[in-house]
Amino acid sequence: MAGDEVNKKFVIPLIIIFLILTIAYIFVPFKSIINEYIFNIFKPKFIVSENSSKVDNNKNGVADPLDIVNGAYSEVQNKTKYISNYHNGGYPPEKEGVCTDVIWRGFKTANINIKDLIDEDIKRNIRLYPRVDEKADPNIDFRRVPNQDVFFSRNALSLTTEVKARNAENLKEWQPGDIVVFNKGYEHIGIISDKRDKNGIPYVIHNTKPHASILKLSYFTAPVHAHYRWKFD
């Protein structure tokens, strides 16, 4: 009898834990966490070959894609607050911004002036830009996600929007300094970092409330709309 009581003490908690994990696995937010931290815990780290551009146009000893990543990381390190405001002159104060500000600030580190380039392209092709309404406004146009999306679709390489864990061919298409755009459910944009998880999935540097941060690409609930890579050569 005593042995039966001891068995019940172990069996019942195990059944409860099993039921909780089963129920949790049904829900997507928990499913990805369970997959990563429980089912994949014993898998070796998946190594993805890095083939980003080695061009160093600003001659600072760092490849331009990594300059972009470093510039974006500065937003995370500074915990740049997510504050959406209109500013005369276009640029927000240094310690505030939105997701699009991560982009131009990252590119600025590589001496690429995204504001000037977007303003010029809008001037020449205004009807292609959905958030301009036939009247350009250099104070805000370059900070709108749809406008950055159009600009990069015209001036950068368009790459895969699929993300496949532990798939070498797919994951090597996602390189540091790349740009990822979301537009279903909400408009958002970020920069692919040089950090990956153990399955090879990259992290994204972005800014959403309360401040700039880094988040695994597979954790975004919205589907990827576009994936771009600047033409550094």
Side-chain angles (χ1 to χ4, degrees):
M1 293 296 291
D4 290 341
E5 290 180 3
V6 171
N7 287 337
K8 285 180 181 179
K9 287 181 180 179
F10 286 100
V11 171
I12 293 174
L14 287 173
I15 292 174
I16 293 173
I17 292 171
F18 176 79
L19 290 173
I20 291 173
L21 289 175
T22 301
I23 294 169
Y25 190 75
I26 295 172
F27 298 95
V28 174
F30 296 103
K31 185 175 180 179
S32 60
I33 295 173
I34 291 171
N35 275 335
E36 180 176 357
Y37 293 105
I38 297 179
F39 298 140
N40 291 327
I41 195 169
F42 298 111
K43 288 184 179 179
K45 183 175 178 63
F46 189 79
I47 304 300
V48 180
S49 59
E50 302 293 345
N51 62 354
S52 57
S53 174
K54 301 299 186 291
V55 170
D56 180 17
N57 286 318
N58 62 353
K59 309 298 182 185
N60 68 343
V62 178
D64 291 343
L66 290 181
D67 273 335
I68 292 173
V69 170
N70 292 337
Y73 266 134
S74 294
E75 296 286 275
V76 178
Q77 293 164 352
N78 295 333
K79 291 188 176 181
T80 300
K81 291 182 180 179
Y82 184 94
I83 299 176
S84 179
N85 282 326
Y86 180 96
H87 299 279
N88 290 325
Y91 295 111
E94 184 178 341
K95 296 196 174 181
E96 68 178 62
V98 293
C99 62
T100 50
D101 295 314
V102 173
I103 307 303
W104 69 259
R105 283 170 172 155
F107 274 74
K108 181 182 178 182
T109 309
N111 285 353
I112 300 170
N113 191 316
I114 289 297
K115 180 184 187 307
D116 286 354
L117 292 172
I118 290 180
D119 288 345
E120 183 61 30
D121 201 44
I122 288 175
K123 190 183 300 182
R124 296 182 179 184
N125 305 279
I126 193 167
R127 293 185 179 180
L128 298 178
Y129 286 84
R131 293 296 303 276
V132 177
D133 299 325
E134 299 297 326
K135 185 178 180 182
D137 184 352
N139 291 323
I140 193 64
D141 289 340
F142 77 108
R143 297 180 67 217
R144 297 194 187 280
V145 173
N147 291 342
Q148 287 195 356
D149 180 36
V150 171
F151 172 76
F152 285 117
S153 72
R154 289 170 44 76
N155 296 280
L157 298 174
S158 292
L159 303 168
T160 184
T161 57
E162 289 187 298
V163 186
K164 300 178 182 178
R166 307 186 81 84
N167 183 302
E169 288 302 311
N170 172 262
L171 293 172
K172 75 178 182 181
E173 290 194 51
W174 294 90
Q175 293 293 325
D178 288 359
I179 300 139
V180 59
V181 183
F182 308 89
N183 71 356
K184 274 193 176 181
Y186 72 125
E187 296 172 350
H188 197 53
I189 192 168
I191 289 175
I192 300 298
S193 79
D194 56 350
K195 179 183 178 184
R196 297 179 185 268
D197 75 352
K198 68 180 300 180
N199 292 316
I201 296 175
Y203 283 76
V204 178
I205 306 166
H206 70 137
N207 194 345
T208 189
K209 292 181 180 179
H211 54 71
S213 62
I214 183 168
L215 180 68
K216 193 188 305 184
L217 181 53
S218 58
Y219 282 176
F220 285 86
T221 55
V224 175
H225 161 70
H227 169 201
Y228 302 115
R229 181 172 301 153
W230 188 251
K231 300 173 184 177
F232 296 99
D233 297 331

